[in-house]
Amino acid sequence: MNNQSMNPIAGRQLRSKTSLRQSIRHSLTMAYRGLLKIRRTPEQLFDVTLQPIIFTLMFTYIFGGAISGDVQSYLPIIIPGILVQTVITTSVVTGVQLREDMDKGVFDRFKSLPIARIAPLAGALLADTIRYTIATVLTFSMGYVMGYRPEGGLGYVALAALIVIVCSWAISWIFAFFGVIARTASSVQGISMIVLFPLTFLSNAFVPADTLPNWLQWFSKINPISHLVTAVRDLTNSGTAGWDLGISLIGAAVIVAIFAPITVRAYMRRT
């Protein structure tokens, strides 16, 4: 009789994988944890609140007259460039904070929980989209205060902001991978900046590509940052969507498809 009562239990199969719905729910829960962490330590937002203001003022007044003749003519060029540069630079913090949490043993605790393996990583990256949103709003706001009036209209400005946030979230998977494999948080920041600085400054974010030396123009034109900046400029300044927008979205999808699995795999090995 005991055997009969135990058969149904013995016949059950334990689930070793979570469904897509469960993975999404677990990731959203972890994202909420990230938001609580930001609320309790608001100084984490200093970079996304001060950097857009300082960079917009500094680059506009330093390069505006030299490149476009005056500040007003330079704003349609620099604001999309500053937006992309600021938000993507902000995504570096994702990898740095991830490394810090792993060093503190936080992710070891997550690993022991019955949740989707990708949830702690995806949740942390989703929470950081709030940082990208703040940087985006402040950059456009500073541009408006300085006289920038996007001819594309509010709808295309909102679409451009969404594209930048989505692409930055995708790129943050690269820095999350650095955060998993690196030994210290400072090394994550160092590696990320070595990769990011050439991409942002050797692009068309601050100056037109045709003003660069010939040997740099080819790199600027194939630079993915240049494609994203051009897509934002097309949307905000003229309300058009060109092939640069398609390239940016395809590139973001490819990055997530490649780096999300290898980041999770590396995370499971290291924690």
Side-chain angles (χ1 to χ4, degrees):
M1 190 167 181
N2 290 335
N3 291 336
Q4 291 179 352
S5 62
M6 295 181 62
N7 282 336
I9 299 176
R12 292 180 183 178
Q13 293 182 352
L14 297 177
R15 294 182 178 180
S16 60
K17 295 183 179 180
T18 56
S19 65
L20 177 60
R21 178 180 297 180
Q22 290 176 322
S23 298
I24 293 175
R25 187 172 67 250
H26 296 164
S27 298
L28 292 176
T29 302
M30 289 298 171
Y32 179 69
R33 169 196 173 265
L35 295 180
L36 292 178
K37 183 179 177 182
I38 292 176
R39 190 181 68 178
R40 292 173 181 174
T41 55
E43 59 271 14
Q44 294 182 15
L45 299 177
F46 283 173
D47 58 338
V48 297
T49 54
L50 297 179
Q51 183 173 323
I53 298 174
I54 295 174
F55 276 26
T56 302
L57 290 171
M58 182 175 64
F59 282 100
T60 300
Y61 286 109
I62 290 177
F63 298 119
I67 295 175
S68 299
D70 58 79
V71 171
Q72 296 301 318
S73 300
Y74 187 52
L75 287 175
I77 298 176
I78 190 60
I79 294 302
I82 287 290
L83 172 63
V84 173
Q85 189 258 359
T86 300
V87 178
I88 289 183
T89 301
T90 301
S91 64
V92 174
V93 180
T94 299
V96 175
Q97 292 183 347
L98 177 62
R99 182 67 262 170
E100 291 177 348
D101 282 346
M102 293 180 67
D103 290 339
K104 294 176 183 178
V106 176
F107 278 77
D108 289 334
R109 196 174 305 170
F110 291 155
K111 186 179 178 182
S112 64
L113 297 176
I115 59 176
R117 292 185 174 186
I118 198 173
L121 297 175
L125 271 64
L126 284 174
D128 282 338
T129 58
I130 300 299
R131 300 165 54 84
Y132 309 151
T133 303
I134 293 173
T136 300
V137 172
L138 283 178
T139 302
F140 276 127
S141 298
M142 277 302 302
Y144 187 84
V145 170
M146 297 174 68
Y148 177 51
R149 300 295 184 268
E151 296 183 3
L154 182 60
Y156 283 101
V157 169
L159 179 59
L162 179 61
I163 296 301
V164 173
I165 292 171
V166 169
C167 291
S168 298
W169 178 81
I171 292 174
S172 66
W173 277 104
I174 300 177
F175 302 126
F177 177 69
F178 291 159
V180 172
I181 65 174
R183 295 184 178 180
T184 62
S186 59
S187 63
V188 176
Q189 187 168 10
I191 295 172
S192 301
M193 288 303 176
I194 290 175
V195 174
L196 201 57
F197 263 57
L199 289 177
T200 53
F201 285 97
L202 297 180
S203 67
N204 64 352
F206 307 109
V207 298
D210 55 10
T211 63
L212 298 174
N214 292 331
W215 60 277
L216 276 180
Q217 287 189 23
W218 70 270
F219 180 79
S220 177
K221 292 179 179 179
I222 65 173
N223 189 341
I225 301 297
S226 294
H227 290 297
L228 181 57
V229 171
T230 301
V232 174
R233 284 175 181 157
D234 290 342
L235 290 170
T236 57
N237 296 332
S238 60
T240 59
W243 68 287
D244 292 283
L245 176 59
I247 290 178
S248 300
L249 293 177
I250 293 173
V254 170
I255 289 174
V256 174
I258 294 175
F259 279 92
I262 66 174
T263 302
V264 173
R265 192 176 300 115
Y267 154 71
M268 293 304 297
R269 287 201 303 264
R270 294 291 297 270
T271 56

